[in-house]
Amino acid sequence: MMIKTAMERIGIVGAGMTGATVASLLRADYPGSNLVVLDKGRGVGGRMSTSRSMKANSFSVDLGAQYISISEPYKERHGRFHKELITAGVLTPLRSDIEGNKSRDPTITHHVAPQGVSSIVKHFLNQSGAELHTSEQIKQVDVKDDKVELTTESGERYQFDSVVLTMPVPQILQLQGTIADIINSKPEIKQKLEQVSYSARFAVGLFYNPNTKLSYSWGGKYIPEDPCIRFVAIENIKRGLNNPKLGPSVVVHTNVPFGLEHLEQEKNVMVPMILQHLRDVLPELPEPDEIKGHKWRFSQVHKAYEGGPGCVVLNEKPLIMLAGDAFSRSTMDGCIESALCTKDALQKVLSTKSNI
C-alpha cells in the first residue's frame, strides 16, 4: 500500500547521477509527489557531463566519466538498473581497446554510452518526469514553518516539504541559512563532512570536421609518464560509432597532481599548456576546428564520508538529506547505491510520520 503523507513536494539539488536516480526511484514509489530538480549548470549530468561542438559537425565528448565499469557485487545488487540501461541502448559493451587499463579482474565488465555519458543521467531524469531548473545555484537553505526554503544566487526561492542535497560536500558546507546552524549543532556529522576531500583535474575537448581522419586504433589511452595528461579518448572509436556525417572528437583529461597544482587558474589559461603536452604525447594529432576546456574543481572523491553510509539524514522535520558519491563511491554504481539509501531513509521517515 502506498504511504500517504503531506510530504508531496520534494526538492533535489543536483542533476547528476545520484540526483537523477533519486528522482526516478521516488517517482516510482510516490507517483503523486511533485518532484523538482535544480542544478547550477546549464545542462544535466554533473560529473557525467557530455559537451557538443558549436562549430564543427562532430561527435560529442565526455568531459567527465569516460566509461562505466561494473564489478561483480554491483551486478548482483544493481542488476535491474544495468539491464534497463542496456535494454534501452543507453549503455553498450566497450569493444574498443583502452590502452594502459590496469583492471585485470575478469569479472568486471566495461560499458560505454553511445550518445554520451550524460545520456545515462537523462534517462533517469526523463523517467522521473521531474520539473527541472538549470542555471540555479543554491546559496541558502532555511527551515521555515515545517518547510525547507532554497534561495538561489539570483534571488529565486523554492519551498519544499523535503530536500535532498547531492552537490559536492564543500558546496554543502558553504551554504548559508538555517542549514549552517543545523550542521554546527551536530559536531560528529560536521567533522565527517569536513574530512571529505576530492581530486581535481582539467578536461579539454577537441572537435574536428567530417573530413578529418585520425589514425588511431584505440578508443582510450592512459598516459602514465606525462606530468600533465592522464587519459586521452577518441570518442567515436571509444563508443564504437561510425557516422560519416560527423567528424571525430578527442577528449583529454589531466592527472590529479597537475589539476591540484593549477586549481586556481582559469581553464582558458590552462588549455594552451595542456595542448602543448598533448602534442608531445600525440604529435601526429591535427589541429582541431574547435576546443572546449573544463575545470573539475570536484572530480572524483578522494576521501569519502566516514563509514560510507550512502546518505545522511541531516534534519527530520522537515526532512533534509545529504547524498551523492561522497557518501559511497565515485562510480555510477556508487551513485545508484547512494540513491537507493536515500529512498530507503526517506521512506523510513515518511512511514514514521504517517504513524504519528
Side-chain angles (χ1 to χ4, degrees):
M1 179 181 293
M2 192 67 59
I3 298 171
K4 294 183 179 180
T5 78
M7 199 175 251
E8 296 177 351
R9 184 167 165 82
I10 303 173
I12 301 167
V13 180
M17 185 64 197
T18 304
T21 310
V22 167
S24 175
L25 291 170
L26 293 182
R27 175 61 68 212
D29 283 5
Y30 302 97
S33 293
N34 180 3
L35 301 177
V36 180
V37 177
L38 302 106
D39 196 278
K40 71 173 186 175
R42 289 180 294 178
V44 304
R47 281 167 284 157
M48 295 177 73
S49 171
T50 302
S51 183
R52 287 167 174 76
S53 168
M54 298 297 290
K55 297 180 184 177
N57 190 21
S58 54
F59 287 95
S60 61
V61 297
D62 290 327
L63 292 176
Q66 291 297 298
Y67 55 94
I68 306 300
S69 299
I70 304 175
S71 65
E72 198 66 31
Y74 280 132
K75 289 176 187 176
E76 296 178 8
R77 296 206 297 268
H78 302 158
R80 66 184 178 98
F81 296 95
H82 306 151
K83 182 179 179 181
E84 177 182 324
L85 291 168
I86 292 168
T87 301
V90 178
L91 281 184
T92 59
L94 172 66
R95 303 194 187 282
S96 65
D97 187 27
I98 302 294
E99 292 190 2
N101 182 9
K102 295 180 180 179
S103 174
R104 295 293 181 265
D105 187 342
T107 67
I108 294 177
T109 57
H110 305 290
H111 295 76
V112 289
Q115 300 307 312
V117 74
S118 67
S119 65
I120 302 172
V121 176
K122 290 176 182 176
H123 173 84
F124 290 111
L125 275 178
N126 291 339
Q127 198 176 68
S128 75
E131 180 183 325
L132 177 65
H133 297 267
T134 56
S135 301
E136 289 282 34
Q137 183 165 358
I138 305 303
K139 74 168 185 177
Q140 189 165 320
V141 179
D142 292 294
V143 173
K144 293 186 176 181
D145 300 324
D146 293 327
K147 303 287 185 182
V148 184
E149 183 175 274
L150 306 181
T151 305
T152 70
E153 290 284 357
S154 63
E156 291 290 328
R157 287 186 172 86
Y158 298 84
Q159 278 203 343
F160 300 101
D161 297 294
S162 62
V163 163
V164 180
L165 303 176
T166 72
M167 64 249 258
V169 168
Q171 293 179 353
I172 293 173
L173 291 171
Q174 291 173 357
L175 290 170
Q176 302 170 21
T178 309
I179 190 171
D181 298 327
I182 295 172
I183 292 174
N184 286 331
S185 71
K186 300 183 177 183
E188 184 178 350
I189 290 178
K190 181 180 180 181
Q191 182 182 30
K192 291 180 180 180
L193 290 173
E194 291 176 336
Q195 290 173 346
V196 174
S197 62
Y198 295 76
S199 61
R201 68 181 76 238
F202 291 86
V204 180
L206 311 178
F207 301 92
Y208 297 88
N209 66 51
N211 297 321
T212 305
K213 304 297 180 184
L214 301 182
S215 56
Y216 303 105
S217 59
W218 43 265
K221 183 182 182 71
Y222 287 95
I223 314 293
E225 305 299 334
D226 191 80
C228 169
I229 296 174
R230 172 58 177 160
F231 183 80
V232 180
I234 314 298
E235 287 286 1
N236 43 305
I237 299 178
K238 182 187 78 177
R239 302 180 196 178
L241 300 177
N242 181 21
N243 185 342
K245 295 181 180 180
L246 296 176
S249 59
V250 175
V251 66
V252 184
H253 281 216
T254 68
N255 59 41
V256 172
F258 182 90
L260 290 173
E261 180 183 356
H262 301 284
L263 183 59
E264 301 309 322
Q265 295 288 336
E266 293 295 326
K267 63 183 180 183
N268 293 336
V269 173
M270 299 310 303
V271 166
M273 184 186 301
I274 295 167
L275 291 181
Q276 183 55 58
H277 280 271
L278 181 62
R279 293 185 190 99
D280 295 337
V281 173
L282 300 175
E284 68 280 10
L285 195 66
E287 289 298 312
D289 291 273
E290 184 180 352
I291 300 169
K292 278 189 177 182
H294 187 85
K295 177 167 67 175
W296 293 109
R297 179 174 290 273
F298 306 110
S299 184
Q300 291 177 305
V301 175
H302 176 254
K303 183 178 180 181
Y305 188 94
E306 185 180 324
C311 66
V312 170
V313 176
L314 187 63
N315 196 70
E316 285 196 9
K317 299 178 182 179
L319 182 61
I320 302 175
M321 298 185 65
L322 311 181
D325 59 349
F327 303 91
S328 53
R329 296 182 63 194
S330 277
T331 62
M332 182 189 79
D333 279 291
C335 293
I336 292 173
E337 191 95 344
S338 177
L340 287 167
C341 172
T342 301
K343 184 204 72 166
D344 290 344
L346 187 142
Q347 283 182 331
K348 184 177 179 181
V349 173
L350 293 187
S351 178
T352 301
K353 292 186 72 173
S354 68
N355 292 327
I356 294 176

